Amino acid sequence: MTGMWIIRYAEIALKGGNRAFFEHALLRDIKRRLTGCGAPAVTRTHGRLWVADDPRHREQVRRELLLLPGIQSISLAQKCANDMQTLKTRGLEIFRAAWSGDEPARFRITTRRADKRYPMRSEEVSRELGAHILQNAPDGLLSVSLGDPELNLHVEIHGEFAAIYLVVEPAAGGLPIGTGGKVMCLLSGGIDSPVAAWQMMRRGCKVHHVFFENRTFLGRGAFDKVERLSQRLAHFQGKSTLTAVPFSDIQVAIRDKCEPRNRVVLYRRFMYRIAERIMRRHRCLGLVTGENIGQVASQTLENLRAVDITVEAPVYRPLLCMDKVQIIEIARQIGTFETSIEEAQDCCSVFLPKHPETRARIENMEADEVHLDVAALEQQAIEAAESITLS
Amino acid sequence: MREGIVYLDHAATSPVCAEVAEHLARDLVELGWNTGTRYELGLTARKALDVCREQVAHYLGCETDAVIFTSGGTESNNIGLRACCGQLPGGGVLWNSATTHPSLAGPVETLDSQWEVVPMPVGPWGAVDVDGLAELPTPDVVVLEWVNNEVGLVQPVDDIAAAAVAANPEVCILVDGAQGVGKLPLPDMASLTVFTFVGHKIAAPAGIGGMMLKPSLKLTPLTRGGGQERGWRPGTVPLPLIRAFCNALEHITALEAAPFGFESFDGGDVPAPIQDPGGSYSPCITLLNVAPVEGEVLQHHLEEAGIFLGTGSACSSAKKSLSPIHKAIGMDAKASRCTVRWSTFPGQDPAELDQAWRVLVKQWRELKRFF
């Protein structure tokens, strides 16, 4: 008997003519992600992908698969011959390994025939295997429950073999990375923006990053953090870029020449415009931010609109309506949380107004920007921007 | 040291000087033998180790047997505290310094409830009030630092030791010497039980340190193993690192640690040292009051000019709470944020320091408008 990971990708199956393209992308991602876990063999049959199980790397493979966009669910199955006698022997073994044998339990058998030429119907296999398990259990401890089982023994019958397993673990879902086009994420070093990037990756996008850096006032600590965050995200998506845009001069100019209460919105207007230009260089199709309605006083609908209006590109905000607890939960799952909460300021207190605008009016922002040489400041920042490649 | 920079954070660590590095590279290849083996190579290594121990003992003014090599200051302080408290399994009274480094404050915090930890009274600038010690319960163990790592304050170690010994002649006294060794005249070792030191503050590599530990102490080590270093610090002895430490010690003791003036060069305002005018301070560590400018902002501006110094308390440092010495000298969180720590190496080029000071003052004056 050999162990196999069954990888299901329900959503890809819906993609009709593109199916081979999606399957190929997923296969490539799985192989890439598992090279560090003993590079197990990956095969494709019957609308599923199969990964050979190696107990030495099992936990690592499991963690990787659960966080791989495009995978709906996974199961660690035992592969065996598909004759009824073998199904009984192996099925009982697997069942016994999961059930203590001295506590009452409700169970069921779920059989699925991928090969309809198999001589028995699915219900017949389930009934016969269920009866075999009942016969071999102490009297009265096991009961069959089709609707609410504690243990559900799955049997998949394929042409040459069968796969038996108990657990179906839901994975990240979504689509394989790279099948959905490229976007540019404004990464800040906080908890939210890496999660926003991940959400886009989960829907198949390749995400490049841009970071606005006030190195003169805050040093390189924040960049170091953002670099590690984007490195972590590159673990999922492979090669991507991080562009650091120097932002000190712009912040100083806004601080010196504009209304204090407008500062935060003005900073963001500059960030959006610059990000849009960098985005074009990388042929991305939109901007991504970790903005979330009302999470901080500056992220009101009015302020988002006053910022949004500065760019033509669509701005995707996958966290817009999520709660902080949900965002933190995802940040923990994808392994960015611990880095995100490291102390490193992303804005120096000297640039923050005492009372930031929460209901920005576009005409006020535009009127305030007249005091600045917007084009020159932006051009200067873009020329001094530095990109690094992550993989 | 890297060319073209002015490094003023020697209280954090000092890069290995070229001569020490050169010797170390050779020793790693030529003297990398196990000092516990009985063949010729090992015996040669053991002899070289003996020479190092004698050299350190000579410097400290203690018995050769008392010198133990460890991995650094934190390990020395942990072993030292365990050694002192281990002499009294039933617990007792510990006089604690309110301003010690976490490598001492940490292990003191984990002592069990049999130990009554009593803070020593301090004056307005953080120096232990020696007269006030008479009011404290009789000590069994005394723990203090010699030179404070943040403000450079030198504690009156000899006077504190004398007061403790007068109260209890059997008292165990542990002194953390990390910031003073090689830079200041040593306190009297005779009344101390443990005196700890570390290599990377004197331009030896990180990873080597040691301690003077009275040979008469009952063995209560932190880790168990092969019995090296009289059983106090088992593990294969890192002879090349120990030799690097001794080289660095020899090097630094030949240099003079001169205080820097921090004076105005043009009659204008300059940041002022945070020091008791009548107090005793290390010439190598000065905390500067850069209010209203935040220390970290000034730090990063100087970084752009190739000048590296520490912040008294980083506004984004992992340590959110106020440092004990800042608290002891009456600073609040804001005052603490508005400081930088200027720390030098003995013999550092005065012209380089003067140049850095001028840049610092210029930057500080320019930044004031932001605060």
Side-chain angles (χ1 to χ4, degrees), chain A residues 141-142 193 215 217:
Chain A
L141 275 182
L142 279 183
S193 49
R215 195 193 300 188
F217 281 74

Side-chain angles (χ1 to χ4, degrees), chain A residues 215-221 252 255-256 343-345 348-351, chain B residues 294 296-298 300-301 303-304 315-318 320 367 369-371:
Chain A
R215 195 193 300 188
T216 328
F217 281 74
L218 298 170
R220 293 235 90 182
V252 169
R255 185 190 182 278
D256 286 348
E343 286 285 338
Q345 287 193 322
C348 186
S349 56
V350 302
F351 295 109
Chain B
E294 284 190 6
E296 191 177 337
V297 170
L298 180 60
H300 294 311
H301 277 78
E303 182 180 348
E304 300 250 298
C315 52
S316 66
S317 123
K320 285 238 162 141
L367 281 170
R369 75 176 183 91
F370 288 102
F371 292 88

Side-chain angles (χ1 to χ4, degrees), chain A residues 170-273:
Chain A
L175 294 163
I177 294 172
T179 58
K182 289 189 283 188
V183 287
M184 176 68 67
C185 180
L186 283 77
L187 214 52
S188 71
I191 296 170
D192 299 346
S193 49
V195 174
W198 159 256
Q199 293 289 56
M200 297 303 286
M201 282 158 50
R202 210 182 65 79
R203 293 309 305 175
C205 298
K206 160 79 86 176
V207 184
H208 295 290
H209 313 285
V210 59
F211 171 61
F212 293 89
E213 184 182 29
N214 188 336
R215 195 193 300 188
T216 328
F217 281 74
L218 298 170
R220 293 235 90 182
F223 178 77
D224 175 70
K225 205 171 138 182
V226 167
E227 189 181 359
R228 281 181 289 133
L229 287 170
S230 40
Q231 191 65 59
R232 175 65 193 159
L233 294 168
H235 174 77
F236 302 112
Q237 64 172 349
K239 200 168 156 186
S240 61
T241 62
L242 166 64
T243 304
V245 180
F247 207 57
S248 315
D249 291 347
I250 291 172
Q251 284 197 297
V252 169
I254 291 172
R255 185 190 182 278
D256 286 348
K257 295 184 178 143
C258 302
E259 270 291 311
R261 61 184 303 119
N262 292 345
R263 279 181 203 160
V264 177
V265 175
L266 291 174
Y267 298 154
R268 296 195 73 79
R269 285 166 63 94
F270 272 83
M271 288 180 190
Y272 270 51
R273 285 187 296 245

Side-chain angles (χ1 to χ4, degrees), chain A residues 44-299:
Chain A
R44 191 178 70 169
T45 51
H46 313 296
R48 281 157 168 35
L49 292 172
W50 302 79
V51 173
D53 170 50
D54 176 345
R56 289 172 301 175
H57 300 289
R58 187 176 291 156
E59 269 317 298
Q60 205 187 345
V61 167
R62 180 174 165 273
R63 277 199 304 272
E64 292 291 347
L65 293 176
L66 286 176
L67 281 176
L68 206 148
I71 297 180
Q72 207 61 34
S73 65
I74 60 171
S75 294
L76 179 58
Q78 294 299 326
K79 189 176 166 186
C80 60
N82 63 13
D83 61 281
M84 196 61 223
Q85 191 48 50
T86 311
L87 292 183
K88 281 182 180 170
T89 321
R90 299 301 181 217
L92 184 61
E93 268 174 31
I94 291 165
F95 191 84
R96 276 187 171 160
W99 176 52
S100 65
D102 46 22
E103 299 272 325
R106 299 182 303 277
F107 84 109
R108 68 165 287 169
I109 312 289
T110 307
T111 305
R112 173 176 168 271
R113 282 182 312 161
D115 179 9
K116 303 292 182 201
R117 291 168 305 177
Y118 194 74
M120 292 167 76
R121 298 212 323 271
S122 296
E123 309 88 88
E124 290 169 343
V125 174
S126 294
R127 207 174 301 130
E128 204 168 324
L129 182 52
H132 181 68
I133 288 173
L134 275 174
Q135 279 161 20
N136 285 281
D139 278 349
L141 275 182
L142 279 183
S143 59
V144 173
S145 166
L146 296 184
D148 183 28
E150 290 159 307
L151 292 162
N152 187 346
L153 190 74
H154 296 262
V155 179
E156 284 188 10
I157 297 172
H158 297 278
E160 324 266 275
F161 65 94
I164 308 177
Y165 55 89
L166 278 155
V167 181
V168 178
E169 295 181 80
L175 294 163
I177 294 172
T179 58
K182 289 189 283 188
V183 287
M184 176 68 67
C185 180
L186 283 77
L187 214 52
S188 71
I191 296 170
D192 299 346
S193 49
V195 174
W198 159 256
Q199 293 289 56
M200 297 303 286
M201 282 158 50
R202 210 182 65 79
R203 293 309 305 175
C205 298
K206 160 79 86 176
V207 184
H208 295 290
H209 313 285
V210 59
F211 171 61
F212 293 89
E213 184 182 29
N214 188 336
R215 195 193 300 188
T216 328
F217 281 74
L218 298 170
R220 293 235 90 182
F223 178 77
D224 175 70
K225 205 171 138 182
V226 167
E227 189 181 359
R228 281 181 289 133
L229 287 170
S230 40
Q231 191 65 59
R232 175 65 193 159
L233 294 168
H235 174 77
F236 302 112
Q237 64 172 349
K239 200 168 156 186
S240 61
T241 62
L242 166 64
T243 304
V245 180
F247 207 57
S248 315
D249 291 347
I250 291 172
Q251 284 197 297
V252 169
I254 291 172
R255 185 190 182 278
D256 286 348
K257 295 184 178 143
C258 302
E259 270 291 311
R261 61 184 303 119
N262 292 345
R263 279 181 203 160
V264 177
V265 175
L266 291 174
Y267 298 154
R268 296 195 73 79
R269 285 166 63 94
F270 272 83
M271 288 180 190
Y272 270 51
R273 285 187 296 245
I274 294 171
E276 186 182 36
R277 287 174 62 183
I278 292 171
M279 179 196 103
R280 291 214 183 95
R281 278 191 199 167
H282 290 269
R283 299 177 192 284
C284 293
L285 296 167
L287 297 175
V288 180
T289 75
E291 284 157 331
N292 178 273
I293 304 174
Q295 191 193 96
V296 289
S298 61
Q299 289 175 21

